[in-house]
Amino acid sequence: YGELVDRACAIGRSLAPRHEHETDVAIGLCAERSFGMICGIVGVLMSGAGYVPLDPNLPSARLKSIVEESGLNMAVCVGTHCAHIMSSIGVIVVTIKCDGRLDDADIGAEQPSVILPHVGLDDLAFTLYTSGSTGRPKGVDLTHRAALTLVDWMTEEFELDSNLRQLVSTTFTFDVSIHEIFTTLINGGVLILAKEHALLDPGYVDSLIRREQCTFVAFVPSYTSIFLEHHRLGPTVKYIASVGEALPPSLCAKLWDR
């Protein structure tokens, strides 16, 4: 947590002067799953801005559409691959490494004397875009108040604390990531970051859950059903959030049985 705070603060101090210390503004965040992604999320929020998650695996036309619609002129990029993608779209790029440190070219932009702005509950926290499966993707703005309402409810409902060990297997462009990341961090728990495209390999997911002693996992019902065909949830798993699709009673029964 000390490393996370130090690196996120450095990112925040680098970003805040670039958007004139204003709050309620949006900055893109292009990243694959890594510690750098977590540092980038927290760093953007500490700068006073909200983040717009950008999946580097999306087609460039889709990314460009999101950039234009959300009015982004700057993006934090984790790694040179993401930086190249966003540069080609025409936004200002701030590059951080996979370990969350500022890229050598951007270290000079960090200003230790910068005072990070005060962020209000009704300021923008993030903008998530729908999948676009029913037409043009739509951006949904969420405030810090909305995120904290979810975190507070999850914490109280499931009696979560620093013993929480959360599997992070969904893309950070998906709303479940808000629970996975923020509920865990605010409770002082542990984030278990699965490799990219982990869900394509249920055997890997099962091994990771058991090795890292995960206590909370989140899968859509269709994946939960596939997973349970060949694997049992590890003995440390206390909660499984099965969301995003209709939850069949037969799957509920199978979960209880397993």
Side-chain angles (χ1 to χ4, degrees), residues 58-70:
L58 289 175
S60 58
R62 171 74 182 275
L63 287 172
K64 185 176 181 180
S65 173
I66 293 174
V67 166
E68 290 176 349
E69 182 173 302
S70 56

Side-chain angles (χ1 to χ4, degrees), residues 7 52 60 110 119 131 164:
R7 295 175 194 185
V52 182
S60 58
E110 180 198 351
V119 178
S131 64
L164 173 61

